[in-house]
Amino acid sequence: MERVLNKFLQDVKSGLDTDKKMTVVLGNEAADLDSMASAVTYAYFLKSKGFAENPVPVINIPINDFKLRTEAVFLFKEAGVDPANLISVDDIDLNALYGKGNLELILTDHNKIGAHQEKFKDAIVAILDHHADDGDYPPGIETDIRPVGSACTLVAERYLEKGNDLLDDSVATLLLGTILLDTVNLDIQAGRVKPEDEKAALALIEKKGIDREGLFEKLQFEKFNVSSLGSYDLLRKDYKEWNLGGKMCGIGSVLMPVNDWFKKDPDIVASFEKYRRERSLDVLLAMNAFTEPEFTRNLVVYVPDSGLREKLVSFLERSDLGLERLDTAGIKGAEKIDAYNQKNLGVSRKKLQPLLKEFFA
Ligand SMILES: [Mn+2]
């Protein structure tokens, strides 16, 4: 079935031209589902209602990273949008647009422009956001910054007020799915939902007859479903790095048991090495966590320098992490990698980082 939203994106993508004035609708640099869905649906609203001539929704990450947001992959597919039609920062030359005086920016899901895009700050013409107001944007621009649960609620309000005719299954699915995920299915206990979110979500459900529970459950499942990702993508999906006393140290958070991971990918060391090189790291760790049958943590330590590895491993083994060595037999290059069950469940990445800092000091 041809969806109008899909067609809109296709037309925008094929019409990108830095010699034309473009209104870039930009989500934040974390590019979570809310950022992507609000940018896409708001740009479509602006175009259809004639509020902007050339609105361009831009996903604020390289398109290669889109697949890491598994809940977004699911929801855009559910909404009938082909990911190939999405426009990312790779597809549009913001520098050229800005240089030619052809860039207008509308921010969604953030109100302080990202550090890498700071130079475009004076091109901001409007903001639609639900984060705390930083006030760090040109004076006098049009803003709607309210502490609701989801930026998509602010977009949905506009459709419900002025664009009911545009609310087809694609648009409604993107908006509703995002609001539900951001507010934990409108759950008061979770502390994220505001009356505006509930009002917008219930109106969408009533109009489109969408199965709320089904949609929420699928989204929640897909958010943590990493089965489509290879080792390299698993490492970078939720990743942080630090310079600790001159050594670069990175930790990926991976939501699956190490034993399953090793079984799935006996060539896992190659992926650790590829990512380590790409990030110029001395140390690359994976902290694995999973909840079935019970909450468990595993730790993988990858350090190609054998002298450094020996020292780090013995430091970690003597620490209060409660490490029990796991079998790495069958893994290619097993001598370069150490894997553990971490019995101290209280040590998250946030707490491991200062421990590593102490080691490198
Ligand atoms: Mn948001």
Side-chain angles (χ1 to χ4, degrees), residues 248 269 272-277 280-285 301-310 312 333 335-338:
M248 282 307 295
V269 172
F272 270 81
E273 176 56 20
K274 180 180 174 200
Y275 197 50
R276 185 198 68 80
R277 264 175 201 265
S280 304
L281 302 172
D282 298 289
V283 172
L284 176 55
L285 306 182
V301 180
Y302 177 66
V303 188
D305 179 328
S306 59
L308 180 59
R309 183 171 63 247
E310 246 169 66
L312 179 60
E335 69 282 358
K336 290 186 192 160
I337 203 159
D338 298 276

Side-chain angles (χ1 to χ4, degrees), residues 28 32-35 38 108-110 129-131 148-152 178 182 192:
N28 71 42
D32 61 358
L33 176 59
D34 192 27
S35 270
S38 61
T108 69
D109 203 23
H110 64 316
D129 183 36
H130 66 135
H131 295 89
V148 294
S150 175
C152 277
T178 306
D182 278 351
R192 310 271 297 273

Side-chain angles (χ1 to χ4, degrees), residues 332-352:
K332 253 187 250 170
E335 69 282 358
K336 290 186 192 160
I337 203 159
D338 298 276
Y340 300 93
N341 183 35
Q342 179 191 316
K343 284 197 289 188
N344 185 346
L345 299 176
V347 181
S348 60
R349 181 164 60 187
K350 224 176 246 145
K351 291 184 181 161
L352 183 60

Side-chain angles (χ1 to χ4, degrees), residues 5 75 99 231 245 327:
L5 188 58
L75 192 63
S231 297
D327 192 8

